[in-house]
Amino acid sequence: MDALTSAVIEGAKSIFKLSLSGIKTISKYEENICELQEEISYLRNKKILIEEEVSIAIMDGKTPKQQVTEWLRKVSRAEDAVRPLLQMLQTPDQHIDGRSFKMLQQYQQSRRVANKLEHVKELNSTYFETVAPEKSSPIKAMEEMQVSSLFGQQAASDMMKLLEILNSDDNKRIGVWGKGGIGKTTSVKNLINHLCNSSPNSFNIVIWVQVSRDLNLSMIQTQIAERLHLKVEAGDTTHSLANRILRRLKMRVEATRRKILLVLDDVWEKIDLDAVGIPSRDSCCKILLTTRSFDVCRDMSVDAPFQLNLMSEDDAWNLFVQSAGSVLYLDGIQSPARKIVASCRGLPLAIKTLGKSLRDTPQTAIWRNTYLRWRCSSPLFKNIEKEVFRPLALSYHSLPSKILQQCFLFCSLYPASFSIDVVELIQCWVSDGLIHENQTVEEAFNYGVALIEHLKDSCLLDQDGGQGTVKMHDVFRDLAILLSQNEELFGFHCQSSLPFNQMPKESSRRVSLIGCKIYRLQEYPVYSNLTVLFLQGNPIKIIPDDYFLNLKSLRVLNLSKTEITSLPSSFLCLVELRSLYLRGCFSLTKLPSLEPLCKLIVLDLSSTPIRELPEGLGSLCRLRELNLSYTRLLKKIASGSISGLSSLETLDMSFSAYNWNPKMSSCHQNATFDELLSLDRLSVLKIRLDSVDSLASASSWIKKLRKFDIQISPNDSNFDAQSNEKRLVLRGVDLLQEHLQSLLHNTTSLSLLTCEGMAQRHWLSLSSLMSLTISNCSGIRILISQEKSSHAMFPNLQHLVLDHLKNLETIVEGILSRGICLSNLKTIQVLDCPKLKGTISYAMLRHVKKLEEIKVSGCENMCRVIESGGQKKKNLPVLRVIEVKNMVKLRTICDGMWVCPVLQQIEVSHCFELKKLPISVGDSCSLKEIRGDVKWWNNLIWENHDDKSFFLKHFQAYSREDCLKRQKYK
C-alpha cells in the first residue's frame, strides 16, 4: 500500500513538474520569439563577415578550415529552418492567443521556438581565430621597395609635396612628370617606402606596375594579378582577366573599406584602365603614374600633375661627391670636377653616372680630358652612353613623327645654354621644309609653337627665362648630337662654341659652326646637299668669291654678327635660299642685287649700317618677313621696292632712320607710305612716322593689321618695342587731329608723351585700350571727370602709368555711376605728379576691384595713397604689391584698415612720415616681404608688441647697394 501510494505521489510530482515546465515554456513564448529574431539577425551578419574572410583567404591562396566550412553549412540549415517558422508565426490566424489551440498544441509550438533559439545561440557563440591556416604567404598591403635614398633638400621637399597631393581626397589621379633621368621612379618608390613605414594602413593594397614603352595590356594585367595572388589561366583573354581583376579588387575594398593605390611607372601613352580591370571611376582607387610627357598626364585625365625639377647646384655637387668618392679632395681634381657637374645641369642620372665612372681615378689629366670629351658630346667611357644616353634616347624615339624628331635635332644646332629665339627657330623650320611654307606667317608660327610645346611637354626642350625664347638642356643637347651622328638621313653636324677642328661630312645637310672662332672660310666647300648653314658669331671678314658655288641647295644662311664687309659674287647662286640672316653685321654697308633670290621668304638686315636697300628687292615677290629694325643709317629705299613685295606679311622698321614723309621721299625718288598701303597681305607693322598726315587715307587699312607698333614723332626719337598686339606711341602730337581717330580706336597699348589736346580729349571711344601711359603732358588736370565720364569708360584697361604730369590734381573726380569703367585695371603706376594728393580716390576705389599692383613715387605733396571716403575698411581683394617711394609728406597708405587677403609685398623708401602700416596680423597670412629703410622701420608705430614681432619676420632691410642707388637717384 505504501509502495503504491509512493508511486502515485512520484507520478503526480512528475506530471506536476511537466505541467509546470510546459506552462513556463508557453509563458515565455512571446519573449522567445523576439529573442529568436534578434539572434538569427546577428547570426546572418556574422555569417556575412565570415564569408568575406573566407573569400579573402581564398584570394590569398589559402584553404578555409573544415570547422569553418561546417559552421557555414549549419548556419545555412538553421536559416532554412527558422525562416518558415518565423513566417508562420507572423500569420495572424496562427498566432497563439490561448483560444485557437489546445494546451498540447500550444506547448509543442512553444517548444519548437525554444529549441531553435537554443541552437541559434550555440552557433552564435562559435568563435574562429582564423578562418584558414597560413599555407601560403598573405598579401601585404605594402611592400618596401629596393631603391636608393633621396638625395638633397629639393628631392625631400618634392616627396613631401607629393605625399600631400596623394593624401588629398580630391586627387584621384596623380601624374609625376619630368625629364628622363631626373628621378621620377626614385621619388615615387621612396614615397611608397615612406607610407610603408609611417602609414602602413593608409591603403588596402599598393600595386606597382612597370609599364613598357611598347604598351602591352596583358603585361600590365599579369603584374596586377601576381600582386593579388590571382592565378592567370592559359585561356584568359584580356577581357576575362579584366573582369576577374575587377572582382578581386572590389572584394578587397568591400572587406576592409580602404582604398587601393595603383602605381604605373614609366607611362608613354594613354592606358585604358577599364580594359585592364581597374575601377578607375570608383573613388576607392587612386592612380599614381610617372611619365616623361605632360601629354600623357592630359590624356590620362590627371587631377594633379606634379613636375619634378632639376637639382640645385649644391645638391648636384654633393651627389657627385657621394658618387665619385674621396678622390675629389686630391690636388687639381676639384676644378675640372666642378665643371663636369655644372655641365650636367642638375640631371641626377648624368651626375651619378659620371661620378661613378671617375671614382678612385686620381689622375688630373683624366679628369680634364673627361670634361673636354663630355663637353664635346663624345663620352669617354662606354657606360656613359649606355647608362645616360640610351635611357634618355627613349624620349626621342617615342616622338610621334620624323618631323618632330628633326625639330628636336635642329635645336642642337645652337650652342649649349643658348637662348633660342622662337620666331627665328620657326622661320628656319619653315625655310628648311620641316613646316610647309604654303601657309601664312601666323599659321606657320602657330603650328611651330605647337611643335615646340610638344617637345617641351616631352621634356626635350625647356622654357627659357626670357620672353619668346626656349632652351635645350645641355645633356639633352649632347644626346641630340649623339643621335644625329646615327641619323645619316637627317645630316646634322654641330660644332658650336668650340674651336673649329673638324670638317663636316660631304653628305651633311645641316651644319652649325656658331661661335667657332673661324676667321677664314675654305675656298671651295663641296656640300651639294647642304640646306642649313649657321656661321653666326664668327670673326669672318671675307667670304671667298667661289664659296657658294657648290651650295646651290642652301635654304637657310645665317651670317649674323660676323665681320663681313660684303657678300661674294657666288652669293647670287643661292637660288633655293629661303632665309637670309645678316643681323648685327656692323661692317656690312652694301648688298648686291637680290633679284636672283626669287624664293626668299625671310630677310633680316637688322642692326646693320646699310644706307640703302639693295637693288632687286622689289622683285622678291615671295618675301614674307622683312626686318629692318635698328637700321639707323638707312636713308634710301628705291621707289617701287616696297610695293613689289606682294607677299609681305611682316615689316619691322622700329628704330630705323628711314623717313616716310611723303614730301621728302618724293624729292629723292624714295618709297612712300602709300606703298605700304598697297600691301594687301601685310598684317604686322612696326614703324616710325614723322606726322599724322601719312595716315590720312589709311583708316580701313589699319583695321586689317593683326599687330602694329606705330610711333609718331616729329623728331628721330624711338622707344622700345613692346610685345603688345597693337601699340601706338605719340610724341608731340595734337590728339584732336582727325587722322588719328581710326588709329586710336584700334589701339590696345597707347603711350602719350608731351602731347597737346589732353584736356579736350574724350576717352569714351577707346574701348580696345588695355595699356595707357601718359607722360609729360602738362595740359591734363583730371584723367576722368564726372562731367565727361561714362560707366563704360576704359572698360578693358589693365595697366595705367601716369608720369611727370605737373598739373594732374586727381585721377578720378566725382562719383561715377557703377559700370565697367576701370573694372579690369590690374596695375597703376604714378611717378612725379607734384599736385596729386592721393592716388586712388574713394570714387575710383569703388571700381578697381581687380587691382593687383600700386606703385607711387616722387609725388611730393601726396599725403595718402588710398582715400577712404569715410569707410572703416577698404576691400582690395587681389592686391599683391604696394610700393611707395620718395614722398616726404606721405603720412598714410590708407585711412583706417584695408582688407587685402593676397597681399605679398610692401616696399617703402624715403617716406619717413609714414608711421603706420594699415594691415593687421589676421589679414596678412599671404605676406612674404616688407622692404624698406631700417630708419623708417624703427620709427613705425604698432598696436602692440606681438604685431611688431610678427611683421619683423617679413622685414627685409635695404642693402648698402640699394641705399647707394637710391641716393644717386634722389
Side-chain angles (χ1 to χ4, degrees), residues 579-637:
S579 287
L580 174 61
Y581 299 95
L582 298 168
R583 179 176 58 251
C585 292
F586 299 124
S587 300
L588 185 65
T589 57
K590 193 174 182 180
L591 292 173
S593 172
L594 299 180
E595 188 172 355
L597 309 182
C598 57
K599 295 183 180 180
L600 202 64
I601 60 176
V602 176
L603 177 59
D604 188 345
L605 299 173
S606 61
S607 300
T608 57
I610 58 172
R611 296 178 180 275
E612 60 181 277
L613 289 188
E615 294 179 9
L617 179 70
S619 64
L620 302 180
C621 59
R622 295 175 64 175
L623 191 69
R624 298 180 191 174
E625 301 180 68
L626 177 59
N627 191 343
L628 298 172
S629 62
Y630 294 90
T631 50
R632 300 183 185 275
L633 299 178
L634 182 62
K635 299 294 183 182
K636 183 179 179 181
I637 301 177

Side-chain angles (χ1 to χ4, degrees), residues 916-934:
K916 196 172 182 181
L917 295 176
I919 52 176
S920 62
V921 173
D923 296 328
S924 304
C925 57
S926 61
L927 190 66
K928 294 181 179 178
E929 183 182 58
I930 302 175
R931 285 178 58 81
D933 310 276
V934 173

Side-chain angles (χ1 to χ4, degrees), residues 805-918:
L805 304 179
K806 65 180 183 180
N807 291 315
L808 182 67
E809 296 177 2
T810 183
I811 299 174
V812 176
E813 181 187 57
I815 303 298
L816 305 179
S817 57
R818 289 196 179 273
I820 56 176
C821 177
L822 297 176
S823 60
N824 285 297
L825 191 67
K826 293 182 178 179
T827 69
I828 182 169
Q829 187 172 6
V830 182
L831 308 167
D832 298 299
C833 297
K835 291 188 177 182
L836 199 61
K837 294 186 177 180
T839 302
I840 300 177
S841 64
Y842 171 66
M844 185 177 176
L845 185 63
R846 298 167 69 240
H847 295 265
V848 291
K849 298 302 181 183
K850 294 183 180 180
L851 199 61
E852 296 177 9
E853 292 185 6
I854 301 174
K855 296 182 179 181
V856 189
S857 176
C859 298
E860 57 192 52
N861 285 302
M862 187 170 291
C863 301
R864 62 182 61 82
V865 178
I866 301 173
E867 298 177 11
S868 65
Q871 285 187 325
K872 291 183 178 180
K873 278 196 174 185
K874 278 67 64 182
N875 188 15
L876 289 170
V878 295
L879 187 69
R880 295 183 296 103
V881 176
I882 176 84
E883 290 183 10
V884 290
K885 298 180 180 180
N886 304 309
M887 293 187 287
V888 294
K889 292 186 179 181
L890 186 69
R891 295 183 176 277
T892 180
I893 293 177
C894 180
D895 293 334
M897 300 299 291
W898 61 1
V899 180
C900 302
V902 298
L903 185 67
Q904 296 179 5
Q905 180 181 333
I906 300 174
E907 185 167 354
V908 180
S909 172
H910 282 90
C911 300
F912 294 110
E913 292 300 312
L914 181 62
K915 303 288 188 181
K916 196 172 182 181
L917 295 176

Side-chain angles (χ1 to χ4, degrees), residues 270-512:
K270 181 181 178 180
I271 300 173
D272 186 348
L273 295 176
D274 293 318
V276 173
I278 303 301
S280 58
R281 301 287 180 266
D282 198 323
S283 60
C284 72
C285 187
K286 285 204 173 196
I287 312 294
L288 175 62
L289 62 91
T290 72
T291 179
R292 300 185 187 190
S293 172
F294 186 67
D295 278 344
V296 171
C297 293
R298 287 197 196 97
D299 294 341
M300 293 285 288
S301 302
V302 161
D303 300 314
F306 183 79
Q307 184 178 13
L308 286 187
N309 296 312
L310 296 164
M311 299 186 84
S312 68
E313 187 177 334
D314 289 341
D315 285 347
W317 173 250
N318 292 332
L319 178 61
F320 190 78
V321 170
Q322 184 188 72
S323 304
S326 58
V327 69
L328 286 168
Y329 299 104
L330 297 177
D331 290 342
I333 298 281
Q334 198 162 126
S335 178
R338 287 194 177 275
K339 291 179 181 178
I340 291 171
V341 174
S343 68
C344 293
R345 301 290 177 189
L347 192 68
L349 176 63
I351 295 166
K352 286 192 289 187
T353 305
L354 281 167
K356 289 177 181 177
S357 68
L358 291 164
R359 192 176 182 87
D360 300 327
T361 304
Q363 295 90 343
T364 306
I366 292 179
W367 282 84
R368 289 174 179 168
N369 187 50
T370 299
Y371 169 64
L372 179 62
R373 299 265 183 154
W374 176 249
R375 186 168 169 246
C376 297
S377 308
S378 174
L380 179 64
F381 305 108
K382 290 181 179 179
N383 67 316
I384 292 178
E385 181 176 348
K386 179 181 177 181
E387 296 182 24
V388 178
F389 291 112
R390 194 176 297 172
L392 299 185
L394 292 175
S395 297
Y396 167 81
H397 292 299
S398 69
L399 290 171
S401 69
K402 292 290 186 182
I403 293 296
L404 263 173
Q405 289 181 345
Q406 291 187 73
C407 288
F408 168 68
L409 297 180
F410 200 104
C411 295
S412 69
L413 295 176
Y414 296 91
S417 303
F418 191 83
S419 293
I420 307 171
D421 183 82
V422 168
V423 173
E424 182 180 308
L425 179 63
I426 294 173
Q427 287 173 344
C428 290
W429 286 349
V430 173
S431 299
D432 196 29
L434 298 178
I435 297 176
H436 293 301
E437 62 179 78
N438 58 346
Q439 305 178 74
T440 66
V441 171
E442 183 183 12
E443 290 169 346
F445 178 78
N446 292 339
Y447 181 63
V449 167
L451 294 175
I452 288 171
E453 289 302 313
H454 195 112
L455 292 174
K456 285 162 63 177
D457 289 345
S458 301
C459 296
L460 293 171
L461 206 58
D462 297 332
Q463 181 64 47
D464 192 21
Q467 189 175 16
T469 57
V470 291
K471 248 181 191 175
M472 181 175 261
H473 189 282
D474 288 5
V475 174
F476 281 82
R477 179 176 177 271
D478 293 338
L479 167 68
I481 293 173
L482 192 66
L483 289 168
S484 67
Q485 294 170 3
N486 300 323
E487 297 282 9
E488 293 286 344
L489 182 65
F490 297 161
F492 286 91
H493 176 89
C494 180
Q495 199 178 321
S496 299
S497 297
L498 295 172
F500 182 60
N501 57 15
Q502 181 182 357
M503 290 296 296
K505 296 179 182 178
E506 289 189 7
S507 61
S508 296
R509 293 184 58 197
R510 289 95 171 211
V511 172
S512 176

Side-chain angles (χ1 to χ4, degrees), residues 38-275:
E38 291 177 1
E39 288 288 337
I40 198 68
S41 176
Y42 179 76
L43 184 62
R44 286 192 189 110
N45 291 333
K46 185 172 181 177
K47 177 191 174 187
I48 291 171
L49 293 175
I50 296 293
E51 285 176 335
E52 287 180 351
E53 289 187 45
V54 168
S55 297
I56 293 174
I58 293 172
M59 285 190 291
D60 287 349
K62 304 172 189 174
T63 302
K65 293 178 179 179
Q66 186 175 356
Q67 299 96 311
V68 175
T69 306
E70 182 62 30
W71 181 86
L72 288 172
R73 280 199 292 268
K74 287 180 180 179
V75 172
S76 296
R77 287 198 297 267
E79 286 179 308
D80 292 340
V82 170
R83 190 181 303 110
L85 178 61
L86 292 177
Q87 288 174 348
M88 180 184 69
L89 294 175
Q90 289 171 357
T91 305
D93 62 353
Q94 295 298 319
H95 194 272
I96 299 174
D97 57 4
R99 294 185 298 272
S100 301
F101 292 94
K102 295 180 181 179
M103 184 70 177
L104 181 60
Q105 291 172 317
Q106 291 178 13
Y107 171 74
Q108 289 174 341
Q109 187 74 341
S110 300
R111 191 63 188 165
R112 287 178 61 194
V113 170
N115 289 339
K116 295 299 180 188
L117 175 59
E118 185 177 351
H119 181 57
V120 170
K121 280 184 175 181
E122 182 182 351
L123 290 172
N124 270 329
S125 65
T126 305
Y127 170 74
F128 300 106
E129 186 172 344
T130 58
V131 298
E134 296 287 341
K135 288 188 176 180
S136 61
S137 59
I139 299 177
K140 295 181 180 179
M142 296 186 193
E143 295 178 334
E144 196 159 351
M145 311 197 75
Q146 290 293 325
V147 63
S148 58
S149 300
L150 291 176
F151 196 92
Q153 295 180 354
Q154 180 66 47
S157 174
D158 284 343
M159 194 193 76
M160 296 314 294
K161 289 176 184 175
L162 192 55
L163 181 63
E164 186 178 344
I165 291 171
L166 183 64
N167 288 334
S168 172
D169 292 335
D170 296 331
N171 300 322
K172 301 296 185 296
R173 296 189 184 187
I174 300 115
V176 180
W177 71 288
K179 297 181 184 302
I182 203 170
K184 301 180 292 296
T185 301
T186 301
S187 294
V188 175
K189 283 186 175 180
N190 274 278
L191 174 69
I192 300 303
N193 288 347
H194 177 81
L195 289 173
C196 191
N197 294 320
S198 64
S199 309
N201 297 318
S202 54
F203 288 97
N204 176 300
I205 188 172
V206 175
I207 304 173
W208 183 282
V209 175
Q210 187 65 48
V211 183
S212 62
R213 181 170 163 248
D214 298 322
L215 183 61
N216 187 323
L217 294 185
S218 296
M219 289 296 294
I220 294 174
Q221 287 180 317
T222 300
Q223 292 180 68
I224 295 173
E226 288 176 357
R227 180 75 174 92
L228 295 171
H229 292 185
L230 182 64
K231 187 176 180 181
V232 179
E233 306 292 345
D236 276 336
T237 63
T238 303
H239 179 68
S240 64
L241 188 53
N243 289 334
R244 292 175 60 201
I245 289 172
L246 182 62
R247 285 197 302 271
R248 180 67 57 94
L249 290 173
K250 285 192 171 182
M251 288 177 69
R252 290 195 68 90
V253 171
E254 290 170 1
T256 62
R257 300 295 186 267
R258 283 186 282 129
K259 294 181 180 180
I260 294 165
L261 174 61
L262 175 66
V263 181
L264 301 169
D265 185 42
D266 203 19
V267 181
W268 291 86
E269 58 184 285
K270 181 181 178 180
I271 300 173
D272 186 348
L273 295 176
D274 293 318

